[in-house]
Structure formats: structure tokens, C-alpha cells
Amino acid sequence: MVTGNSPQALRLLAISVGNTRTSFGVFEGDLLVRADSAPNRDEKALLDALLKEARSIEDSELRAVVAATVNPAFSEKLIEALEKELDAPVRRVQR
């Protein structure tokens, strides 16, 4: 198992879209290295914050962006914008 900040550790941006706030965090392996949240009412500021985090892991060979949501209407617009800006897929986690 690759853990922590091993050179081969997966670098992951995890996004949880709620009804009023979106939480997000950067993981290196199984270690949460940064976390934050932002209100959904300011879509531009939220997208900018997510792009900043996604680009912070862009140099890693092993990276992924995943999103889970309880607010599909809002999250789809957000995910589409992320995919367009990052030119990479955002994996959706569903139950």
C-alpha cells in the first residue's frame, strides 16, 4: 500500500457538493493535506478555489479529481466547468 507523501502516492482532489456549501480537500495517498469549503452562492469564487486546488496537484503523474453530491443541479454545472478548465474528467461518486 502506498501511503502518505510517497513519490508514488495518488494525489487526489475530493469534492463534496452540498445544498449550501461545497467542501473539498487534497489527499496525498491516505493523508489529507489541505481542506476547505466555500458557499455555493458565489459560483465563480468556488470554481476559482477548486481550480487552484486542482492545479496544485497537476504536476503529479498520479492524480484524480472526484466529486460527490446531494445537489445534482448545482454540481453538474460546476463539474462541467472544472472539466473544461482542467481538460480532464472529474469522476463522479454515486451511491
Side-chain angles (χ1 to χ4, degrees):
M1 172 184 243
V2 179
T3 61
N5 58 6
S6 162
Q8 294 184 337
L10 176 68
R11 299 189 76 193
L12 169 78
L13 172 60
I15 304 166
S16 175
V17 181
N19 287 316
T20 60
R21 293 189 74 76
T22 295
S23 300
F24 48 96
V26 174
F27 288 84
E28 291 183 6
D30 58 358
L31 180 66
L32 177 63
V33 294
R34 280 189 309 282
D36 204 351
S37 69
N40 291 351
R41 68 180 174 271
D42 189 347
E43 292 179 43
K44 172 87 169 88
L46 176 57
L47 180 60
D48 288 346
L50 291 171
L51 287 170
K52 178 182 174 187
E53 293 298 342
R55 290 181 175 132
S56 77
I57 64 173
E58 210 165 51
D59 294 336
S60 174
E61 287 183 31
L62 301 171
R63 74 175 182 116
V65 179
V66 297
T69 185
V70 297
N71 187 346
F74 179 78
S75 66
E76 279 307 309
K77 293 188 298 183
L78 187 64
I79 289 170
E80 287 176 12
L82 278 171
E83 289 177 328
K84 180 180 177 185
E85 289 293 322
L86 297 174
D87 194 28
V90 173
R91 305 290 180 212
R92 291 155 177 85
V93 178
Q94 299 178 354
R95 49 176 170 152

